[in-house]
Amino acid sequence: MPTTLLAPPSDISLNLALSLISASVAPVLLLDGDLCVLAASKSFLESFDVGPEDVPGARLADLGTGEWKVPQLWSLLKATAYSQASIRAYEMDLKSSRGRRRLVLNAQRLAYGDGHGVRLLLSIQDVTDARASERQKDDLIRDKAILVQEVQHRTANSLQIIASVLMQGVRKVGSDESRDHLRDAHQRIMSVAAVQRQLAGSDLGDVELRGYFTDLCRSIGDSMIRDHNQLSLRVTVDDSIASSGKSVSLGLVVTELVINALKHAFPNDRNGEIDVDYRAHGEGWTLTVCDDGVGMPDGSQAAKPGLGTGIVQALANQLGAVIDIADAKPGVRVSIVCTPKSNPTS
């Protein structure tokens, strides 16, 4: 029997409601103002182990083994019956013979105006499996995030080990040119390791650039500046946020430009300052690294570009940006400028 009735209805509107409940494939109840069950769909009886003989004259709270006797649900249904509240997608846990189940409830007050009193239509959706699937998905995402961060840590550590091996090679080779090449390779590896170390300490996803650049430049300064009273490194960044992929490229550009300034702008223990500045303008942005050092030597425009220049140019191309090098009087200003038309990344 698809629908269990307390008493046969005589009015057309109630007959229609009962017909809908009878045809429903979802658990549905028709309640009166005292929250007694007037009708229950077959799906409700099967889903919650209620026998048809248990329904006539029963209150909702008395169904099953009393698992429906939930004070908060009772209050909400009463308030809905007298138009003082409404139940829309209300979630609750039900402890039944089948274990704990997560339900989504919706209740609608039916107004007939014919003396039959209050009627409530209560529909029930079991979302236990869906919620369990969501939790499993969240657990997988969290496990993946932990794994990625662990890989980042290990990558940074491995790069530092390789850098240490290169420095041992510097001490052993006899050629000045070979030592210079090994030192350059060491610095490049350390710059990548610094980027990896900073990203490993941040959450996955978008990166807040102010803190990222500040920590990155602090790490570079700690490893390369012997006297911070002699050389200072200042970072000024707006509230920009970038994707992790874009952050990696920007971080590598910053490390290359800062390392280049530290190597060439302040010979003979010259005092000075390096400024790193990042500003967004609409869909575009500008990254500037400026020093007040000795400036560009004569003929620098025709000078053979080094490894660092090639790395910065490749990264700028990847970011859809152009490089502008200018005399800062004193020093050198290098700007990486990305306009909205050329910006391929967010």
Side-chain angles (χ1 to χ4, degrees):
M1 181 174 60
T3 305
T4 301
L5 301 178
L6 176 61
S10 57
D11 58 287
I12 297 175
S13 55
L14 189 54
N15 268 321
L16 177 60
L18 293 173
S19 297
L20 292 174
I21 293 173
S22 178
S24 174
V25 296
V28 178
L29 292 175
L30 183 65
L31 307 174
D32 66 14
D34 295 324
L35 304 187
C36 290
V37 181
L38 297 177
S41 68
K42 183 179 179 181
S43 177
F44 176 87
L45 301 179
E46 293 176 345
S47 298
F48 298 99
D49 297 323
V50 177
E53 69 281 359
D54 298 327
V55 174
R59 295 195 313 165
L60 176 61
D62 298 329
L63 295 181
T65 58
E67 61 265 24
W68 291 97
K69 192 175 183 180
V70 180
Q72 186 173 3
L73 173 62
W74 198 261
S75 298
L76 284 172
L77 287 171
K78 277 288 190 180
T80 302
Y82 294 99
S83 302
Q84 296 172 345
S86 62
I87 297 179
R88 295 288 184 272
Y90 172 69
E91 291 201 23
M92 60 169 282
D93 288 326
L94 185 77
K95 297 179 182 178
S96 67
S97 58
R98 300 186 184 184
R100 184 182 294 272
R101 302 165 72 177
R102 189 70 173 176
L103 306 179
V104 175
L105 279 65
N106 288 275
Q108 177 67 45
R109 184 180 187 271
L110 305 179
Y112 297 121
D114 54 9
H116 278 90
V118 175
R119 299 290 186 267
L120 281 181
L121 190 65
L122 176 64
S123 64
I124 303 159
Q125 181 183 6
D126 190 335
V127 295
T128 306
D129 292 340
R131 294 295 182 265
S133 178
E134 290 171 1
R135 287 194 299 270
Q136 184 179 33
K137 181 180 178 181
D138 291 341
D139 290 342
L140 288 173
I141 292 174
R142 184 169 56 253
D143 290 343
K144 181 179 179 181
I146 293 173
L147 179 60
V148 170
Q149 287 187 333
E150 178 64 22
V151 170
Q152 288 176 331
H153 279 296
R154 290 178 182 242
T155 300
N157 291 340
S158 298
L159 289 170
Q160 289 177 319
I161 292 172
I162 295 171
S164 298
V165 172
L166 284 176
M167 285 305 293
Q168 292 176 6
V170 169
R171 302 186 188 97
K172 295 179 181 179
V173 298
S175 166
D176 289 342
E177 183 178 1
S178 296
R179 279 197 294 270
D180 289 340
H181 284 311
L182 287 174
R183 287 194 182 97
D184 279 344
H186 170 264
Q187 288 175 338
R188 298 300 178 276
I189 292 173
M190 288 302 294
S191 71
V192 176
V195 173
Q196 283 292 127
R197 198 162 50 246
Q198 297 303 325
L199 288 179
S202 65
D203 294 332
L204 296 179
D206 292 341
V207 177
E208 188 270 315
L209 292 181
R210 181 185 296 126
Y212 173 52
F213 284 170
T214 300
D215 292 343
L216 182 59
C217 290
R218 183 185 298 114
S219 176
I220 297 171
D222 289 344
S223 64
M224 295 191 65
I225 299 177
R226 291 193 300 268
D227 186 353
H228 290 272
N229 292 321
Q230 177 183 333
L231 282 178
S232 62
L233 184 53
R234 187 174 64 179
V235 178
T236 306
V237 182
D238 61 15
D239 296 328
S240 292
I241 296 175
S243 67
S244 58
K246 178 180 175 181
S247 300
V248 170
S249 298
L250 289 172
L252 291 173
V253 170
V254 169
T255 52
E256 284 295 333
L257 294 178
V258 170
I259 287 174
N260 185 70
L262 289 171
K263 285 175 59 178
H264 302 295
F266 308 103
N268 304 318
D269 295 328
R270 180 188 177 103
N271 293 341
E273 181 178 89
I274 300 172
D275 289 315
V276 177
D277 185 273
Y278 182 94
R279 291 281 181 268
H281 36 85
E283 295 294 325
W285 50 267
T286 299
L287 169 65
T288 302
V289 177
C290 181
D291 66 73
D292 59 355
V294 296
M296 295 181 292
D298 294 338
S300 61
Q301 296 292 339
K304 182 179 179 180
L307 177 61
T309 302
I311 292 174
V312 173
Q313 183 63 65
L315 291 169
N317 291 339
Q318 184 183 71
L319 291 165
V322 296
I323 303 174
D324 179 65
I325 302 175
D327 190 344
K329 299 180 179 180
V332 176
R333 179 185 295 105
V334 180
S335 298
I336 313 298
V337 182
C338 182
T339 61
K341 292 182 180 180
S342 63
N343 190 358
T345 59
S346 58

